[in-house]
Amino acid sequence: MPATTKDQLIADIRASYAPSYGAAGGEEDALHQMELPKLQALRDRLVRLARTSSQRVKRTARTEALHREADAKIEDALATLAGLEKKLERDARMPVVASAPRVPRAPAAYTLHGLEASWSRWVDHRAEWIDTQFTQHFRERLIEQVQSRLLEAHLPEDRYSELIATLWEPTTQALVEQHAMAAQMEAMRLLRHRMSSVFATMDQGLLQRDTLAGFAMDSIGLALEPSVPSEPGPTLSPHRAAEGLAKLQAYAVDYAADVIVVSDNGGSILGEFIAGEMEERGPRPKIWFKGREAPVDVRSDARFLILADVATDTRSIDQCQRLVAKHYAAGSMAFAALLGSPGLKRGPAFQGRLFVTMLSNDRQPKLPWDRRGTYKRVEGGHLFGGGEQTLPVPDRFLDVGELFQEDP
Amino acid sequence: MTATMANGADILIRAAKTAEGRGTFTAEDMEDLEAVLQLRTLDAVHRDPDRALEIASEFPGYLVRMVDEDRVFVPFNLAAVSPRLQQLRVARDVACSVRLAATNAICLSGSGATLGKVETVADLDFCEYHLGTDLTLAEGVRAKTKGQPPLIWVKRPSEKKPVCAPWADLPRLLEGTLDAIKLDFVSNSALGVLPTTTLVLKTSGEDGAAGKSFAYQEAVVGGADPVRALINPERLGAYIWWLKTEAPALLRATEPTLQSKKAVKALKRCLSLYLMVEKPEIADDILSRLGERVVHEVVLGSRLKELKEMAEAMSSPPVWLNDAITTLGQAAKLPEQEHAIALQAVETLADGLVLKIDAMFEETV
């Protein structure tokens, strides 16, 4: 019977050719409307195609490898997009800084799970020195610092301070007591907030202003919407910037620097920030800008901290080192730098210890101020970045020598 | 019946390799391919979001639906993503406002043809098949310099620099034989303020400059009926090969003008390829990514950049263009730094898909 024959042909077609999207409803009618010979011809061709198709596709070791590589990339990209999507969702729920309501945030914003996860990541990444110094002293100091600042209303007076203070009470304060990590995270945000305040008082070039103000704004955003630091992508991470600044401060305090030597605008911002922090605990160190006159009234056993910002390179550190050695007969020097990448291009050529904090785990991170693209383009001018060797941990000392000679 | 099922992907890939001179196609293969395309067209009936597409029996490979009094033709491979009625209505009206002649077939091309599933687009692209002479083409272009929507640039594909208002160089540009010309407008419609391009190709069907575009990426939304044949193994193969090579080429591109949009463009090329070879699980995944807010932000960023460039090229941009630029700028939710991360992630995603496509081609013998 023709109807049965058509049904059978259509069944054969469906058994031969897999309609990837499933039935939409219209195609069965269309098949039924075809003339029988045409339907038969279609069936025959598709049956033949089905027979040969399986022989036409051959997976090999090479294509398996391609699939694996592709899957890794896709997974990586989707994870990044999912993270950003999540942030956008949060932002959609949270008004932007300028219009944020001055009401206490719900405690639910600080999740225990997130704090624990963050703490684990922190523990995984810190170096030995950080492990002891940070956990034993710095963390406590930060907690104390944060609490005292809040109690004494010591926050810089600008439009964000009230917001942060509002946020702090009562939810964060309770967490300070319960979870040291919460204090650390908030403290880092406050530190960066302080940096933005220092920065605002200084006459800096537009490029630096944009970059650092961007970081400061990010930190304020984070303070309003606390989020757990995640592994940064190939871009400088505000989380790592906050972390790096906090560690630089810890290092400078620990070293008890008498003079902070800075080479340029970026370094001077760091220098001002760290000097300001140290002043709260004792004498304010002198700041020496490389191009200006050397400070006087420096004691004979002075401790010089040479501080470089994210644009540091060997030449800059070398110059500062020679400058110190030229002007002062004795003392000690230490080197600290906030660097963009853990990729090691070549070893430092100076004597002393270098304390490094990284802004990204990627060896070729994109720099926000480099409009041309990636870190690779400017890596030639950097001590670190783009090299074959990657430091085993994001932050560590490189002990390459001792104090400089008494008789330079 | 046979225990093995085909989905046609292998023969489509072989058609692509053959078009590139990397394989052979027998008469039997041709028949098989035609059968696959025939069935693909049947399977595309009612596949669109409005479930309105029917077989266009006069134009094999196309499906058709009515938009008011007009017929809109959609290639089988775009049925599942084709725009909804209201989107088609607006796109048709924009098409009518930018086309050179009412007798030409004008097609919604590129991402506009996927509006049914991807609602945020950076621009609207049309392809107009000019069925008239050089003279009528030149006259049409001259007329567009005075009308609406504002025409910003006119360019021959062979030349690097476009011509813009006050059009002093236009007579020189329109001299001689004109086979293809690109016009950049900025349109203001219910789809938003959008950079809007038309690639005008002089042809009478498959001849002339028609080969500069592929009918498989175009929904015919106005004017003449389809002038291109879809059941054309050679062109189909060439289209698939072009998609395969275009995605990685975009990712490698260094032109400054492409940097903000190349990642999403490459992702869309991958989507088109997967739609064509019918890999719905991957195509659907790409579609869902393209619908995410992060990608939406990236696309809007690209649109904003282009609108700014257009406004800068105009002596007195219309108020609505300036307003759109302000609104888009304010609507951006991703800070610059995260925007860059999102762009990089989309690029990595497209890169991964390109590798998968490479593997798929290599596996098909």
Side-chain angles (χ1 to χ4, degrees):
Chain A
M1 288 185 295
T4 311
T5 308
K6 269 197 175 182
D7 284 343
Q8 186 57 54
L9 289 172
I10 292 169
D12 288 353
I13 287 170
R14 286 305 173 209
S16 307
Y17 184 93
S20 302
Y21 280 95
E27 74 284 3
E28 293 300 319
D29 287 346
L31 283 169
H32 272 286
Q33 283 166 19
M34 283 177 75
E35 292 167 14
L36 196 60
K38 284 188 177 173
L39 196 60
Q40 182 127 29
L42 181 63
R43 192 276 307 262
D44 292 347
R45 288 172 184 178
L46 291 171
V47 168
R48 186 175 63 198
L49 182 64
R51 212 167 34 235
T52 56
S53 269
S54 60
Q55 299 156 19
R56 295 274 185 195
V57 178
K58 289 189 170 54
R59 277 211 170 196
T60 62
R62 190 183 130 74
T63 62
E64 291 287 354
L66 276 175
H67 278 295
R68 277 197 300 277
E69 190 184 346
D71 289 340
K73 286 193 174 197
I74 291 168
E75 199 178 318
D76 182 37
L78 294 184
T80 306
L81 288 173
L84 290 169
E85 192 72 16
K86 217 169 171 181
K87 183 181 183 317
L88 277 179
E89 272 173 29
R90 280 200 314 265
D91 291 348
R93 292 199 303 269
M94 183 72 194
V96 295
V97 170
S99 59
R102 297 187 176 193
V103 294
R105 294 284 313 286
Y110 304 83
T111 66
L112 184 61
H113 171 77
L115 293 172
E116 284 171 351
S118 179
W119 178 250
S120 304
R121 268 195 292 275
W122 172 259
V123 170
D124 288 346
H125 285 291
R126 65 196 164 177
E128 191 181 343
W129 181 86
I130 293 295
D131 196 7
T132 52
Q133 295 293 318
F134 187 89
T135 54
Q136 288 173 18
H137 305 293
F138 184 47
R139 190 182 69 193
E140 289 166 16
R141 281 209 296 270
L142 283 174
I143 294 169
E144 181 194 334
Q145 190 178 25
V146 167
Q147 285 175 329
S148 67
R149 282 187 183 193
L150 287 166
L151 289 172
E152 297 163 19
H154 191 62
L155 286 167
E157 288 180 9
D158 63 28
R159 61 193 175 123
Y160 302 114
S161 59
E162 280 184 41
L163 280 175
I164 293 170
T166 307
L167 288 176
W168 202 260
E169 296 289 353
T171 54
T172 312
Q173 193 167 9
L175 281 162
V176 167
E177 294 162 7
Q178 294 170 22
H179 303 287
M181 189 62 205
Q184 178 206 334
M185 288 168 66
E186 291 304 313
M188 286 179 180
R189 288 172 193 137
L190 291 174
L191 289 177
R192 199 126 56 79
H193 179 60
R194 173 64 186 269
M195 185 192 80
S196 72
S197 169
V198 169
F199 173 77
T201 64
M202 299 179 67
D203 180 24
Q204 299 298 331
L206 186 62
L207 210 59
Q208 295 285 352
R209 176 185 291 276
D210 284 351
T211 303
L212 292 174
F215 276 140
M217 286 304 292
D218 287 345
S219 73
I220 290 158
L222 290 170
L224 287 169
E225 181 59 45
S227 63
V228 176
S230 58
E231 277 306 297
T235 301
L236 301 192
S237 156
H239 290 294
R240 292 199 72 79
E243 195 176 299
L245 282 170
K247 289 174 187 171
L248 280 186
Q249 185 209 336
Y251 177 55
V253 170
D254 188 74
Y255 180 65
D258 299 306
V259 181
I260 297 178
V261 187
V262 295
S263 62
D264 52 27
N265 284 343
S268 69
I269 294 168
L270 296 182
E272 289 284 355
F273 162 67
I274 289 173
E277 293 298 320
M278 291 176 72
E279 191 178 8
E280 292 184 11
R281 309 181 169 278
R284 179 186 173 90
K286 297 176 190 302
I287 298 181
W288 182 12
F289 292 87
K290 190 180 72 181
R292 300 185 191 169
E293 284 186 13
V296 292
D297 300 332
V298 174
R299 62 186 197 194
S300 59
D301 61 344
R303 300 168 75 80
F304 296 87
L305 174 65
I306 294 175
L307 195 59
D309 73 336
V310 287
T312 190
D313 58 27
T314 313
R315 193 181 56 177
S316 171
I317 293 176
D318 281 348
Q319 283 172 349
C320 288
Q321 180 193 21
R322 283 198 296 272
L323 208 58
V324 172
K326 181 181 168 188
H327 282 86
Y328 302 98
S332 68
M333 271 195 283
F335 305 87
L338 195 59
L339 297 181
S341 158
L344 179 62
K345 189 151 194 164
R346 56 183 182 272
F350 47 82
Q351 295 293 301
R353 333 187 268 173
L354 178 63
F355 178 60
V356 182
T357 62
M358 302 297 176
L359 297 179
S360 169
N361 279 342
D362 198 276
R363 269 189 278 167
Q364 293 182 355
K366 286 191 173 175
L367 299 180
W369 58 88
D370 178 18
R371 305 278 172 193
R372 292 167 303 170
T374 65
Y375 189 72
K376 190 170 178 57
R377 310 230 181 169
V378 290
E379 71 184 30
H382 288 66
L383 172 60
F384 291 90
E388 293 304 312
Q389 185 185 346
T390 302
L391 295 181
V393 289
D395 311 279
R396 67 176 303 180
F397 281 120
L398 295 179
D399 286 309
V400 292
E402 279 303 323
L403 308 181
F404 71 95
Q405 303 300 311
E406 282 204 8
D407 186 13
Chain B
M1 250 354 281
T2 173
T4 315
M5 292 176 93
N7 73 359
D10 63 304
I11 199 155
L12 289 164
I13 291 170
R14 287 173 52 224
K17 288 182 167 180
T18 304
E20 189 56 23
R22 298 176 186 218
T24 51
F25 232 49
T26 63
E28 258 188 16
D29 289 331
M30 287 287 223
E31 287 179 353
D32 290 349
L33 180 61
E34 282 175 12
V36 166
L37 298 186
Q38 198 177 352
L39 199 63
R40 287 286 302 277
T41 312
L42 291 172
D43 276 343
V45 171
H46 295 180
R47 186 73 61 208
D48 56 307
D50 288 344
R51 299 174 66 84
L53 287 173
E54 301 286 354
I55 293 284
S57 47
E58 306 154 71
F59 303 99
Y62 279 105
L63 296 108
V64 66
R65 68 177 289 173
M66 295 305 291
V67 175
D68 303 328
E69 302 300 313
D70 300 315
R71 291 198 298 176
V72 166
F73 296 88
V74 177
F76 64 91
N77 52 303
L78 295 180
V81 294
S82 71
R84 291 177 179 277
L85 177 64
Q86 186 53 28
Q87 293 168 324
L88 281 172
R89 208 172 256 149
V90 178
R92 177 205 55 190
D93 292 346
V94 175
C96 290
S97 69
V98 298
R99 71 183 171 191
L100 298 191
T103 48
N104 290 345
I106 187 157
C107 311
L108 181 57
S109 182
S111 51
T114 67
L115 274 169
K117 287 286 173 72
V118 184
E119 293 193 359
T120 307
V121 291
D123 52 19
L124 269 186
D125 293 326
F126 293 99
C127 181
E128 180 174 356
Y129 292 100
H130 182 70
L131 306 174
T133 61
D134 284 350
L135 191 64
T136 54
L137 199 159
E139 281 170 4
V141 174
R142 274 193 288 271
K144 288 295 162 197
T145 61
K146 300 181 186 93
Q148 287 293 330
L151 178 61
I152 317 291
W153 297 298
V154 178
K155 184 176 174 290
R156 278 194 184 209
S158 55
E159 292 188 8
K160 278 189 176 170
K161 278 191 74 176
V163 169
C164 60
W167 310 112
D169 273 349
L170 191 61
R172 180 200 55 76
L173 189 89
L174 297 176
E175 273 172 15
T177 307
L178 284 170
D179 59 346
I181 201 153
K182 187 173 169 239
L183 286 76
D184 282 275
F185 299 88
V186 55
S187 68
N188 183 9
S189 71
L191 293 172
V193 174
L194 286 165
T196 301
T197 67
T198 53
L199 177 64
V200 185
L201 302 174
K202 192 157 74 80
T203 183
S204 59
E206 291 296 330
D207 62 341
K212 291 184 189 295
S213 185
F214 292 103
Y216 306 95
Q217 59 182 4
E218 302 162 350
V220 186
V221 292
D225 288 340
V227 297
R228 312 282 306 271
L230 290 180
I231 310 297
N232 180 337
E234 198 179 322
R235 288 301 293 165
L236 177 61
Y239 174 60
I240 297 172
W241 190 264
W242 176 76
L243 290 173
K244 179 192 181 297
T245 51
E246 180 73 356
L250 278 166
L251 293 175
R252 288 193 304 268
T254 53
E255 292 96 315
T257 52
L258 274 176
Q259 295 313 303
S260 67
K261 54 185 174 185
K262 67 178 189 179
V264 174
K265 265 172 115 65
L267 194 57
K268 286 183 176 173
R269 297 283 185 268
C270 296
L271 169 67
S272 298
L273 194 144
Y274 282 117
L275 284 172
M276 178 55 91
V277 301
E278 225 182 1
K279 295 277 184 186
E281 68 285 358
I282 302 179
D284 286 349
D285 203 23
I286 299 173
L287 282 168
S288 71
R289 298 300 157 194
L290 286 169
E292 282 179 356
R293 267 184 293 190
V294 176
V295 182
H296 171 93
E297 289 271 324
V298 170
V299 172
L300 288 187
S302 166
R303 186 200 290 187
L304 176 61
K305 185 171 177 292
E306 203 159 345
L307 287 177
K308 279 180 177 170
E309 286 166 5
M310 288 182 146
E312 280 167 16
M314 299 171 85
S315 54
S316 56
V319 174
W320 50 263
L321 176 55
N322 287 331
D323 288 350
I325 289 170
T326 308
T327 307
L328 272 175
Q330 288 169 346
K333 300 282 190 302
L334 274 182
E336 192 179 343
Q337 194 181 353
E338 281 163 352
H339 190 96
I341 296 175
L343 257 181
Q344 183 65 53
V346 175
E347 209 171 311
T348 307
L349 179 60
D351 203 18
L353 290 168
V354 164
L355 285 175
K356 276 212 166 296
I357 290 168
D358 285 347
M360 184 168 70
F361 271 67
E362 204 168 314
E363 286 163 356
T364 305
V365 292

